Amino acid sequence: MEQSTLAVLLSLGHGTTYVASLYLFMAMFPTPLATIHDRDHPHIMKQRMRGVTLATLVSLVTTSVVLWYWQSSNEQFNVTQIANQLGLDPRMALPSVVVALVLMCVLFLGPLIISHLEGMCGWDMLKRVPGNLWNQPIYLRNYVVGPVTEELVFRSAVIALWSASGLSLKMCVLVSPVIFGVAHVHRAVSLYVKGDALGRILMSAVVQLLYTTVFGWIAAGLFVRTKSITGPTVAHIFCNLQGLPDPTKAAQYPGYKYFIWLSFVVGLVGFLVLFEPMTRPGVFVPE
């Protein structure tokens, strides 16, 4: 079997294992107070986090073994190089985070202005995060475990395999995020079980698929260009904090309506213009 084919199959396996782990742990440790489809129930969230953590470790170990096998003929190949391929080079961590934060702030210029008008921007937001995250697992899931495990699986493991197998960087950036997007469509099953209308379920699935795939392109681009998983992870947390951009909210602020709409356009254009120079090796990211 060709390495590229094996890389794609392993990536599909990583995605399947990740999604399956969400339900496996809930089935193994059920609670009479909730079903496996109550994704926001504290017990269910905790079991899901345990499941995806284990799935992530399995994906990283499997990927590392495959990378070692493929490149074992190179006498100079070592564990450090595997870590670098997975985006775990500590030298790249801080530059990747800085670049990701700047680019995401530019891209989300419109939503950030709306958040400011709503009084949701600023350090006061941090006061809302509880001291004991385990007792409020929704924060831990949305802003720690979810982003970290998803980026390690769908960026570190998947792109490392695709790149090492000889697939082009274009394929890594544009095609691999589709796996990430499809992996989120399983939420439609929970909506169906809860009795939601079919049209609403389909609309939700399409929006989820498109939004996660587009974000996947951004995260994959950051990973490939900055050679670190830290930037994509921070970008993921940022997006989870902001949610899906909604320009229709501008109508709630008549005095700022056109300014807000313009800020959405400026943010998108600014992101597209700045992405290449900011991620160019030797500018902010070490060569």
Side-chain angles (χ1 to χ4, degrees), residues 224-248:
V224 167
R225 297 281 291 180
T226 67
K227 298 180 175 61
S228 176
I229 196 58
T230 55
T233 303
V234 167
H236 197 143
I237 295 170
F238 187 100
C239 284
N240 282 3
L241 283 166
Q242 284 297 311
L244 184 66
D246 184 7
T248 63

Side-chain angles (χ1 to χ4, degrees), residues 20-37:
S21 72
L22 293 170
Y23 298 95
L24 178 62
F25 266 63
M26 292 186 292
M28 291 172 60
F29 306 99
T31 174
L33 302 177
T35 71
I36 61 173
H37 299 291

Side-chain angles (χ1 to χ4, degrees), residues 4 10 12 14 49 71 86 141 161 163 208 237 240 264:
S4 58
L10 284 172
L12 293 173
H14 289 338
M49 286 188 283
Q71 299 166 93
L86 293 171
R141 178 195 68 186
L161 284 171
S163 178
Q208 188 79 38
I237 295 170
N240 282 3
F264 272 85

Side-chain angles (χ1 to χ4, degrees), residues 92 95-96 99 103 159 169 173 217-228 232 274-287:
M92 302 296 188
S96 182
V99 167
L103 288 172
I159 293 181
L169 292 182
V173 172
W217 291 337
I218 295 171
L222 285 170
F223 180 81
V224 167
R225 297 281 291 180
T226 67
K227 298 180 175 61
S228 176
L274 290 174
F275 188 88
E276 194 282 329
M278 286 205 67
T279 58
R280 187 183 303 154
V283 180
F284 292 98
V285 181
E287 294 190 45

Side-chain angles (χ1 to χ4, degrees), residues 149-272:
T149 57
E150 287 184 2
E151 292 309 312
L152 285 172
V153 171
F154 294 100
R155 246 60 70 185
S156 285
V158 170
I159 293 181
L161 284 171
W162 285 37
S163 178
S165 72
L167 290 170
S168 68
L169 292 182
K170 276 189 176 181
M171 289 281 289
C172 293
V173 172
L174 297 178
V175 181
S176 71
V178 176
I179 300 174
F180 176 67
V182 172
H184 284 77
V185 177
H186 72 93
R187 295 180 184 178
V189 177
S190 297
L191 295 176
Y192 177 78
V193 171
K194 290 181 178 181
D196 281 23
L198 183 58
R200 184 174 180 273
I201 294 173
L202 291 175
M203 179 61 69
S204 174
V206 170
V207 171
Q208 188 79 38
L209 175 62
L210 292 176
Y211 183 61
T212 51
T213 300
V214 170
F215 170 75
W217 291 337
I218 295 171
L222 285 170
F223 180 81
V224 167
R225 297 281 291 180
T226 67
K227 298 180 175 61
S228 176
I229 196 58
T230 55
T233 303
V234 167
H236 197 143
I237 295 170
F238 187 100
C239 284
N240 282 3
L241 283 166
Q242 284 297 311
L244 184 66
D246 184 7
T248 63
K249 284 187 176 182
Q252 300 174 16
Y253 305 94
Y256 299 94
K257 181 170 61 175
Y258 297 108
F259 174 72
I260 293 172
W261 286 342
L262 179 63
S263 68
F264 272 85
V265 176
V266 170
L268 177 59
V269 173
F271 173 82
L272 295 174

Side-chain angles (χ1 to χ4, degrees), residues 42-53:
H43 175 82
I44 300 301
M45 284 189 283
K46 289 179 181 180
Q47 297 307 332
R48 283 187 164 202
M49 286 188 283
R50 292 188 179 103
V52 297
T53 299

Side-chain angles (χ1 to χ4, degrees), residues 79-179:
V79 175
T80 301
Q81 288 175 290
I82 291 180
N84 292 347
Q85 287 178 305
L86 293 171
L88 303 177
D89 185 346
R91 297 175 303 125
M92 302 296 188
L94 183 58
S96 182
V97 167
V98 171
V99 167
L101 277 177
V102 172
L103 288 172
M104 297 313 291
C105 284
V106 172
L107 179 60
F108 279 76
L109 179 62
L112 285 172
I113 290 174
I114 292 175
S115 295
H116 176 71
L117 292 172
E118 293 176 337
M120 295 291 290
C121 254
W123 291 109
D124 287 342
M125 287 184 64
L126 296 178
K127 297 178 182 178
R128 303 182 184 184
V129 180
N132 188 341
L133 287 177
W134 191 245
N135 288 335
Q136 295 289 333
I138 192 168
Y139 292 96
L140 196 59
R141 178 195 68 186
N142 291 350
Y143 309 129
V144 181
V145 177
V148 171
T149 57
E150 287 184 2
E151 292 309 312
L152 285 172
V153 171
F154 294 100
R155 246 60 70 185
S156 285
V158 170
I159 293 181
L161 284 171
W162 285 37
S163 178
S165 72
L167 290 170
S168 68
L169 292 182
K170 276 189 176 181
M171 289 281 289
C172 293
V173 172
L174 297 178
V175 181
S176 71
V178 176
I179 300 174

